[in-house]
């Protein structure tokens, strides 16, 4: 059976005001924002080179950004590592996500800090 591997995905949303309740995974705001993030993140990864192997992401937290309207998003994503996936290429995945988010500026109706996308395998 293929092994499940994980990678981290981080980015900053510049038009999502950070509030203290976003730090609490049990809060209503955390849960609703988490769902919205899945709505945007999962389809992107499904369209990427790891798409056939992608098994999902888990938002692990929201953090305060540099500016009042900035919220940093942290997620851990998973994929099945098997023979048909040559190897996890984080540079390739970064490039694909960059292209799919309009040079790291748009994620659905959210604006992104273009210097904030980080993929770590």
């Amino acid at each position: 059976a293929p092994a499940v591997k994980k990678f981290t995905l981080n980015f900053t949303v510049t038009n999502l005001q950070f509030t203290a309740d976003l730090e609490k995974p049990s809060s209503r705001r955390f849960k609703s924002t988490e769902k919205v993030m899945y709505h945007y993140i999962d389809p992107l990864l499904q369209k990427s080179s790891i798409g056939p192997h992608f098994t999902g992401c888990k938002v692990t937290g929201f953090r305060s950004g540099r500016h009042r309207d900035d919220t940093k998003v942290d997620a851990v994503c998973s994929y099945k590592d098997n023979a048909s996936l040559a190897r996890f290429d984080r540079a390739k995945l970064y490039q694909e996500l960059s292209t799919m988010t309009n040079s790291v500026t748009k994620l659905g109706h959210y604006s992104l800090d273009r210097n904030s996308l980080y993929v770590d395998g």
Side-chain angles (χ1 to χ4, degrees), residues 9 36-48 51 54-58 77 107:
L9 178 65
V36 171
M37 289 301 140
Y38 293 145
H39 174 78
Y40 290 123
I41 296 170
D42 284 0
L44 288 180
L45 289 166
Q46 289 166 349
K47 292 176 195 166
S48 75
F54 175 69
T55 57
C57 289
K58 168 103 177 90
C77 304
L107 181 65

Side-chain angles (χ1 to χ4, degrees), residues 19-74:
T19 57
D21 55 345
L22 275 175
E23 284 182 303
K24 299 177 192 123
S26 60
S27 77
R28 209 187 214 167
R29 181 131 194 257
F30 182 101
K31 290 177 189 290
S32 67
T33 306
E34 176 185 43
K35 280 183 187 168
V36 171
M37 289 301 140
Y38 293 145
H39 174 78
Y40 290 123
I41 296 170
D42 284 0
L44 288 180
L45 289 166
Q46 289 166 349
K47 292 176 195 166
S48 75
S49 59
I50 69 161
H53 312 283
F54 175 69
T55 57
C57 289
K58 168 103 177 90
V59 172
T60 56
F62 298 103
R63 298 177 285 129
S64 177
R66 280 183 283 184
H67 306 288
R68 202 178 76 138
D69 288 336
D70 290 2
T71 297
K72 295 180 181 210
V73 179
D74 302 321

